[in-house]
Amino acid sequence: MMVQTPSVTTSIGAEGMSMPDMSWPGAIADDGADFVDAAVRLYGDKETWQTAQNRTLPHLQQQFDGQKIAKQLIEKINQVQQNLVQHRLDNFTGAMLKHHTMTSTKYLSQWIMEKNKSA
């Protein structure tokens, strides 16, 4: 996209890089035959290519504006810092991983102690 080259991708390929209200600069197709048809249409029709090419820079500017993203990141970091206790309480996956990591270490150390007793 940075060099204004339209592309054909799948919905998974476009995931996180496109919003529902935006047109992909090229085409999105999940079926093999549709993918091939879209690629042939894109690369074979000059007007289709030009239309898609004209959408690349606006797409990048809207989705990947560095200043906008940096501002959102700083705001999120500040929000988490201000509500760190609640953030940790809401982080179920992190708590689960921490619990299982500690539990596995506990049982490994018990196994080592028992193994050393018999030696």
Side-chain angles (χ1 to χ4, degrees):
M1 265 190 248
M2 289 180 67
V3 294
Q4 298 182 11
T5 304
S7 62
V8 179
T9 188
T10 63
S11 55
I12 293 174
E15 190 175 320
M17 296 194 309
S18 185
M19 300 299 287
D21 60 336
M22 294 178 65
S23 295
W24 182 260
I28 297 175
D30 291 317
D31 179 68
D34 293 341
F35 193 96
V36 170
D37 291 343
V40 169
R41 186 172 45 259
L42 180 64
Y43 296 110
D45 181 12
K46 188 174 183 174
E47 187 177 324
T48 302
W49 175 272
Q50 192 64 47
T51 301
Q53 190 175 42
N54 291 339
R55 288 194 303 241
T56 56
L57 288 180
H59 187 88
L60 283 174
Q61 290 168 346
Q62 186 173 354
Q63 287 297 107
F64 302 104
D65 179 0
Q67 291 179 343
K68 179 180 167 185
I69 293 170
K71 183 180 175 186
Q72 290 172 342
L73 176 63
I74 296 301
E75 287 173 1
K76 182 65 176 177
I77 290 171
N78 289 334
Q79 178 188 10
V80 169
Q81 281 180 328
Q82 291 171 3
N83 302 304
L84 191 56
V85 173
Q86 187 61 45
H87 176 75
R88 288 179 175 160
L89 288 173
D90 294 341
N91 185 5
F92 174 77
T93 304
M96 186 175 65
L97 289 171
K98 182 178 178 182
H99 166 76
H100 287 288
T101 300
M102 297 302 174
T103 303
S104 65
T105 304
K106 171 184 163 185
Y107 288 117
L108 177 63
S109 65
Q110 288 178 352
W111 178 81
I112 292 170
M113 286 187 332
E114 289 301 317
K115 184 181 121 200
N116 289 340
K117 283 183 185 177
S118 63

